[in-house]
Amino acid sequence: MIITIANQKGGVGKTTTAINLSAGLAYKNKKTLLIDLDPQANSTITFVDPHSLEITIFDVLTGKANFEDTIVKTRIPNLELAPANISLAKLERELLGDIDSHFRLKDKIADISPSYDYIIIDTPPTLGIITLNALVAASHILIPIQSSYFALEGTDDLLETIEKVRYRSNPNLKLLGVVITLHDKRTSLGKDTVAQIKKVFKDKVFKTIISKNVRLEESPAYRESIYTFAPDSKGAKDYLSLTEEILKIG
């Protein structure tokens, strides 16, 4: 299963979800590859020293390196990483005029995907060529939506993009589900937002809701997933629950 985590809004927990879902799957003995497609490279920084990288996913997508050469091991058994750095911000310019630019990742991933049970793709908060590549390459999309007043703002644009990708480039792309993130169950606004999201996405909303948790925010700064940084925290329990829900699906 190849899962792209996408939402063009920033600050909704995309990278936090990518990091902790990948780690959760690995801890469940699933061979997992995390592909960092965000030029901010926060997924990469969590697991490896970015200064030690000679090859990144940018080199793969621009045809300068093979996919196998960019994959690095992490400290977590069963979890490998295809890292990124700021050079990825130049990708759109590099691929300008290439009529097959949105198929780059799909083509490159074909040879290595049979080696993994799960491939998780972290994306930037835009609907540009990078996110388009991730959607074309994926079998499923996971949408994190923040539990906030403007939660569904811009969601129509994302859903429209998904439908266009299905129609033109990847007819097999499925919505794995919507995960509600950064939720504060103590507030009326939080409860109202959850109800609103469930009204729109119905049974596609995961039962697991990711609560607002300071440990989740801190863990990347210490270059750890939540499972090693704060294994008894609410954040660890939430992401383990989400991992188990996804394992039941496929």
Side-chain angles (χ1 to χ4, degrees):
M1 185 182 284
I2 303 173
I3 303 171
T4 286
I5 300 174
N7 188 328
Q8 77 272 31
K9 286 185 71 176
V12 299
K14 277 192 305 298
T15 296
T16 301
T17 299
I19 291 166
N20 294 303
L21 175 57
S22 300
L25 290 166
Y27 283 128
K28 290 289 184 179
N29 295 316
K30 298 299 181 182
K31 184 80 181 292
T32 305
L33 174 67
L34 172 57
I35 300 176
D36 192 352
L37 281 189
D38 189 342
Q40 295 182 64
N42 289 329
S43 285
T44 297
I45 294 166
T46 300
F47 292 113
V48 299
D49 178 2
H51 301 294
S52 68
L53 300 171
E54 295 181 6
I55 301 171
T56 68
I57 193 69
F58 173 78
D59 300 300
V60 175
L61 295 176
T62 53
K64 298 169 186 172
N66 295 321
F67 213 122
E68 296 88 342
D69 297 331
T70 195
I71 295 172
V72 295
K73 293 187 180 298
T74 70
R75 298 182 299 277
I76 300 174
N78 297 314
L79 179 59
E80 296 180 339
L81 171 74
N85 60 19
I86 192 61
S87 64
L88 197 56
K90 301 184 294 184
L91 185 67
E92 194 139 0
R93 188 173 71 236
E94 288 278 334
L95 299 184
L96 194 65
D98 183 347
I99 59 171
D100 291 328
S101 60
H102 51 296
F103 284 98
R104 286 294 180 101
L105 182 61
K106 184 180 180 70
D107 292 344
K108 299 291 184 180
I109 216 173
D111 291 336
I112 60 102
S113 58
S115 302
Y116 298 93
D117 298 307
Y118 288 88
I119 296 175
I120 308 297
I121 306 175
D122 188 18
T123 60
T126 63
L127 291 177
I129 191 64
I130 296 175
T131 299
L132 192 57
N133 262 270
L135 293 173
V136 171
S139 61
H140 295 79
I141 177 170
L142 172 62
I143 305 174
I145 298 183
Q146 182 181 359
S147 175
S148 70
Y149 182 71
F150 294 109
L152 294 171
E153 185 180 304
T155 306
D156 288 347
D157 291 338
L158 176 60
L159 295 177
E160 184 179 335
T161 299
I162 292 168
E163 284 307 313
K164 285 179 180 177
V165 168
R166 279 179 179 150
Y167 180 72
R168 297 175 181 172
S169 310
N170 185 4
N172 297 318
L173 180 63
K174 297 180 177 67
L175 175 59
L176 183 65
V178 169
V179 58
I180 299 170
T181 60
L182 296 164
H183 177 61
D184 187 346
K185 65 181 181 181
R186 299 169 299 179
T187 66
S188 297
L189 176 60
K191 293 172 186 174
D192 291 345
T193 303
V194 169
Q196 186 183 18
I197 294 169
K198 287 182 175 179
K199 185 177 179 181
V200 172
F201 290 99
K202 301 181 175 61
D203 62 344
K204 282 298 183 180
V205 180
F206 283 103
K207 292 184 178 68
T208 301
I209 293 177
I210 310 298
S211 299
K212 204 166 191 177
N213 184 272
V214 68
R215 294 298 193 189
L216 279 173
E217 296 172 18
E218 291 173 344
S219 59
Y222 290 88
R223 298 189 175 181
E224 292 186 62
S225 77
I226 192 62
Y227 305 108
T228 53
F229 180 70
D232 296 323
S233 67
K234 184 71 168 67
K237 292 171 185 174
D238 287 347
Y239 272 109
L240 184 59
S241 175
L242 178 65
T243 300
E244 289 170 348
E245 273 199 78
I246 288 172
L247 284 170
K248 286 176 184 174
I249 294 171

